[in-house]
Coordinates of all heavy atoms in Angstrom, one line a residue:
G1133 N 8.7 -4.7 4.7 CA 8.0 -5.9 4.2 C 6.5 -5.9 4.3 O 5.9 -4.8 4.5
H1134 N 5.9 -7.0 4.2 CA 4.5 -7.1 4.1 C 3.8 -7.2 5.5 O 2.6 -7.1 5.6 CB 4.1 -8.4 3.3 CG 4.4 -8.2 1.8 ND1 3.7 -7.5 1.0 CD2 5.5 -8.7 1.1 CE1 4.2 -7.6 -0.2 NE2 5.3 -8.3 -0.2
S1135 N 4.6 -7.4 6.5 CA 4.0 -7.5 7.9 C 3.2 -6.3 8.3 O 2.2 -6.4 8.9 CB 5.1 -7.8 8.9 OG 6.0 -6.8 9.0
S1136 N 3.7 -5.1 7.8 CA 2.9 -3.9 8.1 C 1.6 -3.9 7.4 O 0.6 -3.4 7.9 CB 3.7 -2.6 7.8 OG 4.2 -2.7 6.5
L1137 N 1.6 -4.4 6.2 CA 0.3 -4.5 5.5 C -0.6 -5.5 6.1 O -1.8 -5.3 6.2 CB 0.5 -5.0 4.0 CG 1.1 -3.9 3.1 CD1 1.2 -4.5 1.7 CD2 0.2 -2.7 3.0
D1138 N 0.0 -6.7 6.6 CA -0.8 -7.7 7.3 C -1.6 -7.1 8.5 O -2.7 -7.4 8.8 CB 0.0 -8.9 7.7 CG 0.5 -9.7 6.6 OD1 -0.2 -9.8 5.5 OD2 1.5 -10.4 6.7
K1139 N -0.9 -6.2 9.2 CA -1.5 -5.6 10.4 C -2.6 -4.7 10.0 O -3.6 -4.6 10.6 CB -0.4 -4.7 11.1 CG 0.5 -5.6 11.9 CD 1.6 -4.7 12.6 CE 2.7 -5.6 13.2 NZ 3.9 -4.9 13.4
C1140 N -2.4 -3.9 8.9 CA -3.5 -3.1 8.3 C -4.7 -3.9 8.0 O -5.9 -3.6 8.4 CB -3.1 -2.4 7.1 SG -1.8 -1.1 7.3
Y1141 N -4.5 -5.0 7.3 CA -5.6 -5.9 6.9 C -6.3 -6.5 8.1 O -7.5 -6.5 8.1 CB -5.1 -7.0 6.0 CG -4.5 -6.6 4.6 CD1 -3.6 -7.4 4.0 CD2 -4.7 -5.3 4.1 CE1 -3.1 -7.1 2.7 CE2 -4.1 -5.0 2.9 CZ -3.3 -5.8 2.2 OH -2.8 -5.5 1.0
A1142 N -5.5 -7.0 9.0 CA -6.1 -7.7 10.2 C -7.0 -6.7 10.9 O -8.1 -7.1 11.3 CB -5.0 -8.2 11.1
K1143 N -6.6 -5.5 11.2 CA -7.4 -4.5 11.9 C -8.7 -4.2 11.1 O -9.8 -4.2 11.7 CB -6.6 -3.2 12.0 CG -5.9 -3.0 13.3 CD -5.4 -1.6 13.3 CE -4.5 -1.4 14.5 NZ -3.8 -0.1 14.5
A1144 N -8.5 -4.0 9.8 CA -9.7 -3.7 9.0 C -10.7 -4.9 8.9 O -11.9 -4.6 9.0 CB -9.3 -3.3 7.6
L1145 N -10.2 -6.1 8.8 CA -11.0 -7.2 8.7 C -11.7 -7.6 10.0 O -12.9 -8.1 10.0 CB -10.2 -8.5 8.2 CG -9.8 -8.3 6.7 CD1 -8.8 -9.5 6.4 CD2 -10.9 -8.4 5.7
K1146 N -11.1 -7.2 11.1 CA -11.7 -7.5 12.4 C -13.0 -6.6 12.5 O -14.0 -7.1 13.0 CB -10.7 -7.1 13.5 CG -11.0 -7.7 14.8 CD -9.9 -7.4 15.8 CE -10.1 -8.1 17.1 NZ -9.0 -7.9 18.0
K1147 N -12.9 -5.4 12.0 CA -14.1 -4.5 12.1 C -15.0 -4.7 11.0 O -16.3 -4.6 11.2 CB -13.6 -3.0 12.0 CG -13.1 -2.5 13.3 CD -12.9 -1.0 13.1 CE -12.7 -0.3 14.5 NZ -12.1 1.0 14.4
S1148 N -14.5 -5.0 9.8 CA -15.4 -5.2 8.6 C -15.0 -6.4 7.8 O -14.2 -6.3 6.8 CB -15.3 -3.9 7.7 OG -15.4 -2.8 8.5
P1149 N -15.4 -7.6 8.2 CA -15.0 -8.8 7.5 C -15.3 -8.8 6.0 O -14.7 -9.5 5.2 CB -15.8 -9.9 8.2 CG -16.3 -9.3 9.5 CD -16.3 -7.8 9.3
E1150 N -16.3 -8.0 5.6 CA -16.7 -7.9 4.2 C -15.7 -7.3 3.3 O -15.7 -7.4 2.1 CB -18.1 -7.2 4.0 CG -18.0 -5.7 4.2 CD -18.1 -5.3 5.7 OE1 -18.1 -6.1 6.6 OE2 -18.1 -4.0 6.0
L1151 N -14.6 -6.7 3.9 CA -13.5 -6.1 3.1 C -12.6 -7.2 2.5 O -11.9 -6.9 1.5 CB -12.7 -5.2 4.0 CG -13.3 -3.9 4.4 CD1 -12.3 -3.2 5.3 CD2 -13.7 -3.0 3.3
A1152 N -12.7 -8.4 3.0 CA -11.9 -9.5 2.5 C -12.0 -9.7 1.0 O -13.2 -9.7 0.5 CB -12.2 -10.8 3.2
G1153 N -10.9 -9.7 0.3 CA -11.0 -9.9 -1.2 C -11.1 -8.6 -1.9 O -11.0 -8.5 -3.1
G1154 N -11.3 -7.5 -1.2 CA -11.3 -6.1 -1.8 C -10.0 -5.8 -2.4 O -8.9 -6.3 -2.0
R1155 N -10.0 -5.0 -3.4 CA -8.8 -4.6 -4.1 C -8.5 -3.2 -4.0 O -9.4 -2.3 -4.1 CB -8.9 -5.0 -5.6 CG -9.1 -6.5 -5.8 CD -9.4 -6.9 -7.2 NE -8.2 -7.1 -8.0 CZ -7.4 -8.2 -7.9 NH1 -7.7 -9.1 -7.0 NH2 -6.4 -8.4 -8.7
L1156 N -7.2 -2.9 -3.8 CA -6.8 -1.5 -3.7 C -5.8 -1.2 -4.8 O -4.8 -2.0 -5.0 CB -6.0 -1.3 -2.3 CG -6.8 -1.5 -1.1 CD1 -5.9 -1.5 0.1 CD2 -7.9 -0.5 -0.9
K1157 N -6.1 -0.2 -5.6 CA -5.2 0.1 -6.7 C -4.2 1.2 -6.1 O -4.6 2.2 -5.6 CB -5.9 0.7 -7.9 CG -5.1 0.9 -9.1 CD -5.9 1.3 -10.3 CE -5.0 1.4 -11.5 NZ -4.5 2.7 -11.8
I1158 N -2.9 0.9 -6.3 CA -1.9 1.7 -5.7 C -1.1 2.4 -6.8 O -0.7 1.7 -7.7 CB -0.9 0.8 -4.8 CG1 -1.7 -0.1 -3.9 CG2 0.1 1.7 -4.1 CD1 -2.5 0.5 -2.8
T1159 N -0.8 3.7 -6.6 CA 0.1 4.4 -7.5 C 1.1 5.0 -6.6 O 0.8 5.8 -5.7 CB -0.7 5.5 -8.3 OG1 -1.7 4.8 -9.0 CG2 0.3 6.2 -9.3
V1160 N 2.4 4.7 -6.8 CA 3.5 5.3 -6.0 C 4.4 6.1 -6.9 O 4.8 5.7 -8.0 CB 4.3 4.2 -5.4 CG1 5.4 4.7 -4.5 CG2 3.4 3.2 -4.6
D1161 N 4.6 7.3 -6.5 CA 5.7 8.2 -7.1 C 6.9 7.9 -6.4 O 7.0 8.1 -5.2 CB 5.3 9.7 -7.0 CG 4.2 10.0 -8.0 OD1 4.3 9.7 -9.1 OD2 3.2 10.7 -7.5
V1162 N 7.9 7.4 -7.1 CA 9.2 7.0 -6.4 C 10.3 8.1 -6.8 O 10.5 8.4 -8.0 CB 9.7 5.6 -6.9 CG1 11.0 5.2 -6.2 CG2 8.6 4.6 -6.6
A1163 N 10.9 8.6 -5.8 CA 11.9 9.7 -5.9 C 13.3 9.0 -5.9 O 13.4 7.8 -5.8 CB 11.7 10.7 -4.9
D1164 N 14.3 9.8 -5.8 CA 15.7 9.3 -5.8 C 15.8 8.4 -4.5 O 15.1 8.5 -3.6 CB 16.7 10.4 -5.8 CG 16.6 11.4 -4.7 OD1 15.5 11.3 -4.0 OD2 17.5 12.2 -4.6
K1165 N 16.8 7.5 -4.6 CA 17.1 6.6 -3.5 C 16.0 5.6 -3.3 O 16.0 4.9 -2.3 CB 17.5 7.3 -2.2 CG 18.7 8.2 -2.4 CD 19.1 8.8 -1.0 CE 20.4 9.6 -1.2 NZ 20.3 10.9 -0.6
G1166 N 15.0 5.5 -4.2 CA 14.0 4.5 -4.1 C 13.0 4.7 -3.0 O 12.3 3.8 -2.5
K1167 N 12.8 6.0 -2.6 CA 11.8 6.4 -1.6 C 10.5 6.8 -2.2 O 10.6 7.6 -3.2 CB 12.4 7.5 -0.7 CG 13.4 7.0 0.3 CD 13.6 8.0 1.4 CE 14.3 7.4 2.6 NZ 14.8 8.3 3.5
A1168 N 9.4 6.5 -1.6 CA 8.1 6.9 -2.1 C 7.9 8.4 -1.7 O 8.0 8.7 -0.6 CB 7.0 6.1 -1.5
S1169 N 7.6 9.2 -2.7 CA 7.3 10.6 -2.4 C 5.8 10.7 -2.2 O 5.4 11.4 -1.3 CB 7.8 11.5 -3.5 OG 7.3 11.2 -4.8
T1170 N 5.0 10.1 -3.0 CA 3.5 10.1 -2.7 C 3.0 8.7 -3.0 O 3.5 7.9 -3.8 CB 2.8 11.1 -3.6 OG1 3.0 10.7 -5.0 CG2 3.2 12.5 -3.4
V1171 N 2.0 8.3 -2.2 CA 1.3 7.0 -2.4 C -0.2 7.4 -2.6 O -0.8 7.9 -1.7 CB 1.5 6.1 -1.2 CG1 0.7 4.8 -1.4 CG2 3.0 5.8 -1.0
E1172 N -0.8 7.0 -3.7 CA -2.2 7.2 -3.9 C -2.9 5.9 -3.9 O -2.4 4.9 -4.5 CB -2.4 7.9 -5.3 CG -2.0 9.3 -5.3 CD -2.1 9.9 -6.7 OE1 -3.0 9.5 -7.5 OE2 -1.3 10.7 -7.1
I1173 N -4.0 5.8 -3.3 CA -4.8 4.6 -3.2 C -6.2 4.8 -3.7 O -6.8 5.8 -3.3 CB -4.8 4.1 -1.7 CG1 -3.4 3.8 -1.2 CG2 -5.7 2.8 -1.6 CD1 -3.3 3.5 0.2
S1174 N -6.7 4.0 -4.6 CA -8.0 4.1 -5.0 C -8.7 2.7 -5.0 O -8.1 1.7 -4.9 CB -8.1 4.6 -6.5 OG -7.4 3.8 -7.4
G1175 N -10.0 2.7 -5.0 CA -10.8 1.5 -4.8 C -11.8 1.7 -3.7 O -11.6 2.6 -2.9
P1176 N -12.8 0.9 -3.7 CA -13.9 1.1 -2.7 C -13.4 1.0 -1.2 O -13.9 1.6 -0.3 CB -14.9 0.0 -3.0 CG -14.2 -0.9 -3.9 CD -13.1 -0.2 -4.6
E1177 N -12.3 0.3 -1.0 CA -11.8 0.1 0.4 C -10.7 1.1 0.7 O -10.1 1.0 1.8 CB -11.2 -1.3 0.6 CG -12.2 -2.4 0.7 CD -12.8 -2.8 -0.7 OE1 -12.1 -2.6 -1.7 OE2 -14.0 -3.2 -0.8
S1178 N -10.5 2.1 -0.2 CA -9.4 3.0 0.1 C -9.7 4.1 1.1 O -8.8 4.7 1.6 CB -8.9 3.6 -1.3 OG -10.0 4.4 -1.8
D1179 N -10.9 4.3 1.3 CA -11.3 5.4 2.3 C -11.0 4.9 3.7 O -11.0 3.7 4.0 CB -12.8 5.7 2.2 CG -13.1 6.4 0.9 OD1 -12.2 6.9 0.3 OD2 -14.3 6.4 0.5
G1180 N -10.9 5.9 4.6 CA -10.9 5.5 6.0 C -9.5 5.0 6.5 O -8.5 5.1 5.9
K1181 N -9.6 4.2 7.6 CA -8.4 3.8 8.3 C -7.6 2.8 7.5 O -6.4 2.8 7.6 CB -8.8 3.2 9.6 CG -9.2 4.2 10.7 CD -9.5 3.6 12.0 CE -9.8 4.7 13.0 NZ -10.5 4.2 14.2
L1182 N -8.2 1.9 6.8 CA -7.5 0.9 6.0 C -6.6 1.6 5.0 O -5.4 1.4 4.9 CB -8.4 -0.1 5.3 CG -7.7 -1.1 4.3 CD1 -6.7 -1.9 5.1 CD2 -8.7 -1.9 3.6
G1183 N -7.2 2.6 4.2 CA -6.4 3.3 3.2 C -5.2 4.1 3.9 O -4.1 4.0 3.3
K1184 N -5.5 4.7 5.0 CA -4.4 5.5 5.7 C -3.3 4.5 6.1 O -2.1 4.9 6.0 CB -5.0 6.2 6.9 CG -5.7 7.5 6.4 CD -5.9 8.4 7.7 CE -6.7 9.7 7.3 NZ -8.1 9.5 7.4
C1185 N -3.7 3.4 6.7 CA -2.7 2.4 7.2 C -1.8 1.9 6.1 O -0.6 1.8 6.2 CB -3.5 1.3 7.9 SG -2.4 0.1 8.8
V1186 N -2.5 1.5 5.0 CA -1.7 1.0 3.8 C -0.8 2.0 3.3 O 0.3 1.8 2.9 CB -2.7 0.4 2.8 CG1 -2.0 0.1 1.5 CG2 -3.4 -0.8 3.3
Q1187 N -1.3 3.2 3.2 CA -0.5 4.3 2.6 C 0.7 4.6 3.5 O 1.8 4.7 2.9 CB -1.4 5.6 2.6 CG -0.8 6.8 1.9 CD -1.8 7.9 1.8 OE1 -2.6 8.2 2.7 NE2 -1.8 8.6 0.6
K1188 N 0.6 4.6 4.8 CA 1.7 4.7 5.7 C 2.7 3.6 5.5 O 3.9 3.8 5.5 CB 1.2 4.8 7.1 CG 2.0 5.5 8.1 CD 1.2 5.8 9.3 CE 2.0 5.6 10.6 NZ 1.3 5.7 11.8
A1189 N 2.2 2.4 5.4 CA 3.1 1.2 5.3 C 3.9 1.3 3.9 O 5.1 1.0 3.9 CB 2.3 -0.1 5.3
L1190 N 3.2 1.6 2.9 CA 3.9 1.7 1.6 C 4.9 2.8 1.4 O 5.8 2.7 0.7 CB 2.8 1.8 0.4 CG 1.9 0.6 0.3 CD1 0.9 0.8 -0.8 CD2 2.7 -0.7 0.0
K1191 N 4.7 3.9 2.2 CA 5.6 5.0 2.2 C 7.0 4.5 2.7 O 8.0 5.1 2.4 CB 5.1 6.2 2.9 CG 4.3 7.1 2.1 CD 4.3 8.5 2.6 CE 3.8 9.4 1.5 NZ 3.7 10.8 1.8
K1192 N 7.0 3.5 3.6 CA 8.2 3.1 4.2 C 9.0 2.1 3.4 O 10.1 1.8 3.7 CB 7.9 2.5 5.6 CG 7.4 3.5 6.6 CD 7.1 2.9 7.9 CE 6.6 3.9 8.9 NZ 5.9 3.3 10.0
W1193 N 8.3 1.5 2.4 CA 8.9 0.5 1.5 C 10.1 1.1 0.8 O 10.1 2.3 0.5 CB 7.9 -0.1 0.5 CG 7.0 -1.1 1.1 CD1 6.7 -1.3 2.4 CD2 6.2 -2.0 0.3 NE1 5.8 -2.3 2.5 CE2 5.4 -2.7 1.2 CE3 6.0 -2.2 -1.1 CZ2 4.5 -3.7 0.8 CZ3 5.1 -3.1 -1.5 CH2 4.4 -3.9 -0.5
K1194 N 11.1 0.3 0.4 CA 12.2 0.7 -0.5 C 11.8 0.2 -1.9 O 11.4 -0.9 -2.0 CB 13.5 0.1 0.0 CG 14.0 0.6 1.3 CD 15.1 1.6 1.0 CE 15.8 2.2 2.2 NZ 15.0 3.2 2.8
Y1195 N 11.9 1.1 -2.8 CA 11.6 0.7 -4.2 C 12.9 0.7 -5.0 O 13.9 1.3 -4.6 CB 10.6 1.8 -4.8 CG 9.2 1.7 -4.0 CD1 9.1 2.5 -2.9 CD2 8.2 0.9 -4.4 CE1 7.9 2.5 -2.2 CE2 7.0 0.9 -3.8 CZ 6.8 1.7 -2.6 OH 5.7 1.6 -1.9
P1196 N 12.8 0.0 -6.2 CA 14.1 0.0 -7.0 C 14.5 1.4 -7.4 O 13.7 2.2 -7.7 CB 13.6 -0.8 -8.2 CG 12.4 -1.6 -7.8 CD 11.8 -0.7 -6.8
R1197 N 15.8 1.6 -7.3 CA 16.3 3.0 -7.7 C 16.4 3.1 -9.2 O 16.8 2.1 -9.8 CB 17.8 3.1 -7.1 CG 17.8 3.3 -5.7 CD 19.3 3.5 -5.3 NE 19.4 3.6 -3.8 CZ 20.4 4.1 -3.2 NH1 21.4 4.6 -3.9 NH2 20.5 4.1 -1.9
Q1198 N 16.1 4.2 -9.7 CA 16.3 4.5 -11.1 C 16.9 5.9 -11.2 O 16.9 6.7 -10.2 CB 15.0 4.4 -11.9 CG 14.5 3.0 -12.0 CD 13.3 2.8 -12.9 OE1 12.9 3.7 -13.5 NE2 12.8 1.6 -12.8
K1199 N 17.5 6.2 -12.4 CA 18.1 7.5 -12.5 C 17.2 8.7 -12.3 O 17.5 9.7 -11.7 CB 18.7 7.6 -13.9 CG 19.9 8.5 -14.0 CD 20.7 8.3 -15.3 CE 19.8 8.7 -16.5 NZ 20.5 8.6 -17.8
D1200 N 16.0 8.5 -12.8 CA 15.0 9.6 -12.7 C 13.8 9.1 -11.8 O 13.6 7.9 -11.6 CB 14.4 9.9 -14.1 CG 15.5 10.5 -15.0 OD1 16.3 11.3 -14.6 OD2 15.5 10.0 -16.2
D1201 N 13.0 10.1 -11.3 CA 11.8 9.8 -10.6 C 10.9 9.0 -11.5 O 10.9 9.2 -12.7 CB 11.1 11.0 -10.1 CG 12.0 11.8 -9.1 OD1 13.1 11.4 -8.8 OD2 11.5 12.9 -8.7
Y1202 N 10.1 8.1 -10.9 CA 9.2 7.3 -11.7 C 7.9 7.0 -10.9 O 7.9 7.2 -9.7 CB 9.8 6.1 -12.3 CG 10.2 5.0 -11.2 CD1 9.3 3.9 -11.0 CD2 11.4 5.1 -10.5 CE1 9.7 3.0 -10.0 CE2 11.7 4.2 -9.6 CZ 10.9 3.1 -9.3 OH 11.2 2.1 -8.4
K1203 N 6.9 6.5 -11.6 CA 5.6 6.1 -11.1 C 5.5 4.6 -11.2 O 5.9 4.0 -12.3 CB 4.5 6.7 -11.9 CG 3.5 7.5 -11.1 CD 2.4 7.9 -12.0 CE 2.0 9.4 -12.0 NZ 1.7 10.0 -10.7
T1204 N 5.0 3.9 -10.2 CA 4.7 2.5 -10.3 C 3.3 2.3 -9.8 O 2.8 2.9 -8.9 CB 5.8 1.6 -9.6 OG1 5.5 0.3 -9.8 CG2 5.8 1.9 -8.1
T1205 N 2.6 1.4 -10.5 CA 1.2 1.0 -10.1 C 1.1 -0.5 -9.9 O 1.7 -1.2 -10.6 CB 0.2 1.5 -11.1 OG1 0.5 0.9 -12.4 CG2 0.1 3.0 -11.2
F1206 N 0.3 -0.8 -8.9 CA 0.0 -2.2 -8.6 C -1.2 -2.4 -7.8 O -1.8 -1.4 -7.4 CB 1.2 -2.9 -7.9 CG 1.7 -2.2 -6.7 CD1 1.2 -2.6 -5.4 CD2 2.6 -1.2 -6.7 CE1 1.7 -2.0 -4.3 CE2 3.1 -0.6 -5.6 CZ 2.6 -0.9 -4.4
T1207 N -1.7 -3.6 -7.7 CA -3.0 -3.8 -7.0 C -2.7 -4.7 -5.8 O -1.9 -5.7 -5.9 CB -4.0 -4.5 -8.0 OG1 -4.2 -3.7 -9.1 CG2 -5.3 -4.7 -7.3
L1208 N -3.3 -4.4 -4.7 CA -3.2 -5.2 -3.5 C -4.6 -5.8 -3.2 O -5.6 -5.1 -3.4 CB -2.8 -4.4 -2.3 CG -1.4 -3.8 -2.3 CD1 -1.2 -2.9 -1.2 CD2 -0.3 -4.9 -2.3
T1209 N -4.6 -7.0 -2.8 CA -5.9 -7.6 -2.4 C -5.9 -7.7 -0.9 O -5.0 -8.2 -0.2 CB -6.1 -9.0 -3.0 OG1 -5.9 -8.9 -4.4 CG2 -7.4 -9.7 -2.7
V1210 N -7.0 -7.3 -0.3 CA -7.2 -7.3 1.2 C -7.4 -8.7 1.6 O -8.4 -9.4 1.2 CB -8.3 -6.4 1.7 CG1 -8.5 -6.5 3.2 CG2 -8.1 -5.0 1.2
K1211 N -6.5 -9.3 2.4 CA -6.7 -10.7 2.9 C -6.1 -10.9 4.3 O -5.2 -10.2 4.6 CB -6.2 -11.7 1.9 CG -4.7 -11.5 1.6 CD -4.4 -12.5 0.4 CE -2.9 -12.5 0.1 NZ -2.4 -11.3 -0.5
A1212 N -6.6 -11.9 5.0 CA -6.1 -12.2 6.3 C -4.7 -12.9 6.1 O -4.5 -13.5 5.1 CB -7.0 -13.1 7.0
K1213 N -3.8 -12.7 7.1 CA -2.5 -13.3 7.0 C -2.6 -14.8 6.8 O -3.5 -15.5 7.4 CB -1.8 -13.0 8.3 CG -0.3 -13.3 8.2 CD 0.4 -12.8 9.4 CE 1.9 -13.2 9.2 NZ 2.7 -12.7 10.3
G1214 N -1.8 -15.3 5.9 CA -1.8 -16.8 5.7 C -2.8 -17.2 4.6 O -2.8 -18.4 4.3
E1215 N -3.5 -16.3 4.1 CA -4.5 -16.7 3.0 C -3.8 -16.6 1.7 O -3.0 -15.8 1.4 CB -5.7 -15.8 3.0 CG -6.7 -16.2 4.0 CD -8.0 -15.4 3.9 OE1 -8.3 -14.8 2.8 OE2 -8.7 -15.2 4.9

């Protein structure tokens, strides 16, 4: 779920409040059984600990299963929990 992302955001925002509202573009390669094989993150906030934390969290997510491997892309906005 999203709680792992909330933890990533909370840590990053504590150190760098200016990251709030920053956008991360995510590309996930999904393999069989709906598991992420690779997670790529781009955007100005993608470097450093925040990017690594988000990447780790998204690798644990379950994605919809499909017959073949596929790529999915989406955007995440860095925000404090409850915003």
Side-chain angles (χ1 to χ4, degrees):
H1134 293 280
S1135 62
S1136 50
L1137 285 180
D1138 288 334
K1139 284 178 190 158
C1140 293
Y1141 297 160
K1143 263 188 189 169
L1145 291 169
K1146 200 171 182 179
K1147 276 190 171 164
S1148 312
E1150 71 279 2
L1151 291 177
R1155 298 172 90 71
L1156 299 170
K1157 187 172 186 266
I1158 313 294
T1159 304
V1160 181
D1161 287 311
V1162 183
D1164 59 350
K1165 297 187 180 134
K1167 283 195 164 166
S1169 55
T1170 60
V1171 177
E1172 290 173 33
I1173 301 175
S1174 58
E1177 287 77 28
S1178 63
D1179 290 343
K1181 286 186 178 163
L1182 175 60
K1184 282 196 181 91
C1185 186
V1186 168
Q1187 191 172 36
K1188 207 163 135 186
L1190 294 179
K1191 272 207 162 174
K1192 290 180 183 161
W1193 282 16
K1194 290 259 182 281
Y1195 297 87
R1197 288 181 185 201
Q1198 290 186 8
K1199 206 167 63 176
D1200 298 314
D1201 295 0
Y1202 66 97
K1203 232 186 231 305
T1204 184
T1205 56
F1206 52 95
T1207 303
L1208 294 173
T1209 303
V1210 179
K1211 57 186 185 292
K1213 193 173 179 177
E1215 275 186 27

